[in-house]
Amino acid sequence: MTAQETTTQPAGKPVGVAVLGMGTVGTEVVRLLRENADDFTHRIGGPVELRGIAVSDLGKDRPGIDRALLTDDALSLVNRDDVDIVVEVIGGIDYPRELILAALNAGKSVVTANKALVAAHADALSEAADNAGVDLYFEAAVAAAIPVVGMLRRSLAGDRIERIFGIVNGTTNFILDAMTSTGATYEDALAEATRLGYAEADPTADVEGHDAASKAAILASLGFHTRVNFDDVYCEGITRITAEDIDAATKVGYTIKLLAICEKITGDDGEEQVTARVHPTLIPSSHPLASVSKSYNAIYVDAEAAGSLMFYGNGAGGDPTASAVLGDLVGAARNKVHGGRAPGDSTYANLAVADFGDVPTRYHIDMLVNDRTGVLADIATRFSAKGISLRTVRQEEQERHSHARLIVVTHQAREADLRDMVAELEASEDVQKVSSVIRLDG
Amino acid sequence: MTAQETTTQPAGKPVGVAVLGMGTVGTEVVRLLRENADDFTHRIGGPVELRGIAVSDLGKDRPGIDRALLTDDALSLVNRDDVDIVVEVIGGIDYPRELILAALNAGKSVVTANKALVAAHADALSEAADNAGVDLYFEAAVAAAIPVVGMLRRSLAGDRIERIFGIVNGTTNFILDAMTSTGATYEDALAEATRLGYAEADPTADVEGHDAASKAAILASLGFHTRVNFDDVYCEGITRITAEDIDAATKVGYTIKLLAICEKITGDDGEEQVTARVHPTLIPSSHPLASVSKSYNAIYVDAEAAGSLMFYGNGAGGDPTASAVLGDLVGAARNKVHGGRAPGDSTYANLAVADFGDVPTRYHIDMLVNDRTGVLADIATRFSAKGISLRTVRQEEQERHSHARLIVVTHQAREADLRDMVAELEASEDVQKVSSVIRLDG
């Protein structure tokens, strides 16, 4: 058997590209497409031609852009016969979903940077791509130019992924890093992030962990060959993290990071399940993830044969996102010229998504308790009764002698049991206040 | 235009695989192929079947391997009609070259882990693959499962690579790390590496930097779209690094690592040139590469739009190498089933390889000079006369007052000028001995 190179594109005919959206990323994509046009021709095996750019505001001044390329009718642009690949960098969900589905249904390959869309509607998008036999690329949806999507789809395609975890949101890492290095409050660090352009005017999607949860859904889906949607991801943001939490963590050699954690666990029935979650996490300050500063991202992938791999870089911003989009565009264009398809959706393993209550986690609980003889023993007994082992217990003297500060770090236990335990502590007469509850890892 | 999915393989017909070599990597490849067979079927879109394994010693005991699969006639196995993909994990150059060329010429795709072969004969291999329209994959040739080959070929295909540098040889990193952390001599650290299996019985290829140079040639070729062969790489190993060098470096906040450095420079004619080199390098101990311990690898890729990306993991060993081989195998098998070709060789940029003498480098020179008034001024004048600026000069008192120790760190200068300067120092009556010369980076 000899493989044949299949040309679905008459030789020399250019690949037509439509770019939807002309924000930071779209502007960079268009600039690099033009500046590096010769390189693209060589790398693809034929020229790429920009057919049009869909924008919402035709009147806006866009220096260096041929106005004839601009349109505010994105759907018509998508449907043009001379458009082979659609690049979606608009953002949002419903509108780009409609455009992408139209593109795929019309046999155009799609490159998108839209994590929220991919995490919410992967099934519909993937089905449309499969039906039309075209490509759906979304490297830029996770950690920009850090090529973790391509790695999971291709490089590790012969391995078994066990765990994926790391820092996948630059805004929250910037805020937590600022709080850690300067002692700033959450509010002040957020204001600084906004001032410097690391946080958007409405920072909700970042600080509440939604952005990271979309990425966790995508990573878990790819890594475990199982559909994991945004709604399947347990998600807790950083808005409740205080300067006191950071200070207490630093003092005992820990750093607080917002981590996305995707892993396989064994269910009660002995079957493998998958879980994905995003929450503030205490990690040892000696862990490489603890040194990831500013808005950088870093992702660990643990695989059976490959072992532990780590990828680090700038996970956001116009340029790095454009790099990922253009890498995908070269791939999609190569397939238009030479035939073949990128690895599509792979959900054959179809594992159950674990109930988060069943997932083993570890808690760091900081509380104020009555300062009376025997209180420590009583509280330890409560943990023991729930089957939760303690790794460390630290009691600190307080200025007022009516209470003591008690910091408890548990071993791994069922999330639901730990949560019940916290509720029980909060209800206990011996506990004046549970000041903070943060999960631990690493 | 609609892309069509092209099947070059009748539906359901398995993809036949031959494995050449049954050492550490081959054994793992065969084991994982068998254990994860169902996964491979799903990921590829059809089953993979192992047709045979070529070994040099048919008599050797190989538990769990069906003896009917074994042959000592590799060429006949390669040429079997039911073999679609050949996996080469023998090592060496001439013999595997002959087998791989036979496979490619017969229309079989090839997956190899053979860095020495790819770095020495890329033109011939690539031409044969192109002529037959088949795939030549070699992710495992550089840093095992760290997917830097795939990243350069695909993920960063829309970007411009400016620099690639890092630790790409586990054996030498193990030795240097042991010398740094324990104060051991080179000889003792090498003995320990050999005892633990990190160094081969004949460690020449590793300790002389040849292995790293092959990887540098591959990385530079991929990154700069230019053919860079093994012979184009300047190569200096670690055999002359002494415990004193390590100690002196540590004292001033530096760590010695064997780095592969590939970069673009501007020639005298204003044209871009490429350069690749491997040598012991002083880097600040605060640099992330300085913390890469044991036999781990870490590679930085600096690209125009993506910025600086870093990849870290286990860069050697049977399991990680098998992971990379199997990822390639899934890719090659997908193309056999669905049509299409992996991105082939891309040398269109065809930049000149710079003469190493013209490459800007920085030197750390440790010497003993006569302890007389004015000697420092005289030596500084010599550097200045050659147009080499000094960044730091440190003079240390010695027990015997007949000489002083002088440690000079230069700014960047032409490698040839720095080398001439060292020769001039060695010839100078004021210099009793040039104890060590190590380049700096980072």
Side-chain angles (χ1 to χ4, degrees), chain B residues 18-20 51-54 71 73-80 83:
Chain B
V19 174
L20 314 183
R51 304 297 189 203
I53 308 169
T71 173
D73 181 356
L75 193 58
S76 296
L77 174 60
V78 162
N79 281 315
R80 272 173 57 167
V83 166

Side-chain angles (χ1 to χ4, degrees), chain B residues 148-288:
Chain B
V148 66
V149 168
M151 184 194 51
L152 292 172
R153 273 193 159 173
R154 297 182 188 270
S155 314
L156 288 169
D159 210 327
R160 279 174 177 278
I161 311 296
E162 286 156 359
R163 196 165 200 257
I164 306 168
F165 64 107
I167 296 163
V168 296
N169 180 272
T171 307
T172 48
N173 199 61
F174 182 92
I175 294 170
L176 292 173
D177 183 40
M179 291 174 73
T180 305
S181 55
T182 69
T185 63
Y186 167 75
E187 290 72 20
D188 286 350
L190 171 60
E192 176 75 355
T194 309
R195 194 178 67 76
L196 295 173
Y198 290 110
E200 294 179 44
D202 175 0
T204 310
D206 291 316
V207 299
E208 295 294 356
H210 304 158
D211 174 87
S214 289
K215 292 164 179 167
I218 294 171
L219 293 174
S221 296
L222 293 168
F224 305 135
H225 301 275
T226 288
R227 174 70 64 228
V228 178
N229 288 310
F230 175 79
D231 292 337
D232 297 321
V233 181
Y234 173 79
C235 176
E236 199 180 302
I238 64 163
T239 55
R240 289 183 306 169
I241 301 295
T242 64
E244 290 70 38
D245 291 334
I246 302 267
D247 184 54
T250 306
K251 277 188 182 141
V252 292
Y254 279 85
T255 301
I256 301 179
K257 292 291 187 186
L258 184 72
L259 295 194
I261 303 174
C262 312
E263 57 191 358
K264 281 197 272 198
I265 65 171
T266 305
D268 286 340
D269 54 2
E271 297 289 316
E272 277 190 331
Q273 301 181 339
V274 301
T275 170
R277 59 189 190 269
V278 168
H279 51 66
T281 313
L282 286 159
I283 53 173
S285 297
S286 58
H287 192 289

